Amino acid sequence: PECSNPLKWMLSRDFNGTHASALRSTTSLGLPLSGHDDGSDRYAQYAELLAFSLSMNDDIQQAVAQGGMLEVTWDLSGGYIPWLGRRQLTKDLMLALCSLALIYACICVHARSLFLGTCGAIQVALSFPLALFVYVVLLRIRLFGVMHIIGIYVILGIGCDDLFVLLDAWKQSAWAAPPACRKSVAGRLSWAYRRATKAMAVTTLTDVCAFMSSVVCIVPNLISFAIFTSLLAIANFALVCTFWPCAILIHERLCARRRGRSDGTELFA
């Protein structure tokens, strides 16, 4: 391990120059192992290393038991546990992509538009880098672990819900809005925007309060996770109030052109 003074890492703090109550060392076992051409089958090779470490641990504990004057603690993980964690994280990210694809399909079916489905999926996905930018660059929080990746699933649910709220309000504006608002697309969207943002603001506020309640915990990972997921909810609200209405307007204009409507210019009325 990297250390300015290797003795500080190897010896216990009570080392007086000649004696120490504890000593530690490392044994490096590299890949590929004998019988393997390369490190492509790491899972099998790590399994062999783990079996070898277990057998070595049995020998060490037997020797210690015979001596009776020494206590040994043996760490069997080495690089296997971190590698296994990265391997599992990769699988989880693939599941997150599958979840995003499912949401994309749901938006397309509900909106009956591939364009709105694509814009909706992009908007939800953009919430993550936006929240990460605020978290790392503006708040200067460097703690980011596997738990924070769970936020992907959180924002997928929240983001999809907010998209449907504004989209349904837009559809309702065709018959539920006052007659003055129904005269133009801009009037309809203005009515739908005011109607939907109130509901989305309340749900976003409750989500942020629920996440931030974990700040009272003394575990740093949970505190940072609460902050990050709160930023995700806020970032999604900001995007659904800016990006998503523009997508609805563009979609309406494209539909107006496709239908050959002569009053398509009223989009900007």
Side-chain angles (χ1 to χ4, degrees), residues 119-155:
C119 290
I122 292 175
Q123 183 253 296
V124 173
L126 286 177
S127 301
F128 195 87
L130 179 59
L132 188 62
F133 174 81
V134 177
Y135 181 80
V136 176
V137 178
L138 299 184
L139 299 183
R140 298 182 180 276
I141 302 177
R142 296 292 183 264
L143 185 57
F144 192 88
V146 177
M147 182 179 295
H148 296 71
I149 304 298
I150 302 176
I152 295 178
Y153 300 97
V154 174
I155 198 57

Side-chain angles (χ1 to χ4, degrees), residues 238-256:
L239 288 172
V240 81
C241 289
T242 54
F243 182 87
W244 188 235
C246 296
I248 294 177
L249 269 178
I250 295 174
H251 176 261
E252 179 64 20
R253 186 176 187 183
L254 293 175
C255 290

Side-chain angles (χ1 to χ4, degrees), residues 10-12 20-25 56-74:
M10 296 175 61
L11 301 171
S12 57
S21 61
L23 170 68
R24 64 176 174 178
S25 63
M56 183 182 294
N57 179 65
D58 294 338
D59 296 337
I60 292 176
Q61 296 300 336
Q62 184 178 359
V64 170
Q66 294 177 355
M69 298 294 293
L70 186 65
E71 180 181 352
V72 175
T73 300
W74 183 259

Side-chain angles (χ1 to χ4, degrees), residues 9 15 40 44 58 66 68 71 91 104 107 114 118 131 145 168 195 197-198 215 218 220 226-227 245 254-255:
W9 182 87
F15 176 64
S40 58
D58 294 338
Q66 294 177 355
E71 180 181 352
K91 291 183 178 179
Y104 171 72
I107 298 175
L114 290 176
T118 302
D168 287 345
R195 180 184 179 90
T197 50
K198 294 179 181 179
V215 173
I218 62 174
I227 296 174
L254 293 175
C255 290

Side-chain angles (χ1 to χ4, degrees), residues 18-81:
T18 57
H19 296 83
S21 61
L23 170 68
R24 64 176 174 178
S25 63
T26 60
T27 301
S28 299
L29 302 174
L31 301 180
L33 300 179
S34 177
H36 298 271
D37 296 333
D38 52 33
S40 58
D41 55 342
R42 288 193 174 185
Y43 191 82
Q45 295 188 56
Y46 273 128
E48 291 185 23
L49 285 177
L50 186 59
F52 171 74
S53 300
L54 289 172
S55 63
M56 183 182 294
N57 179 65
D58 294 338
D59 296 337
I60 292 176
Q61 296 300 336
Q62 184 178 359
V64 170
Q66 294 177 355
M69 298 294 293
L70 186 65
E71 180 181 352
V72 175
T73 300
W74 183 259
D75 180 11
L76 301 177
S77 61
Y80 176 72
I81 299 301

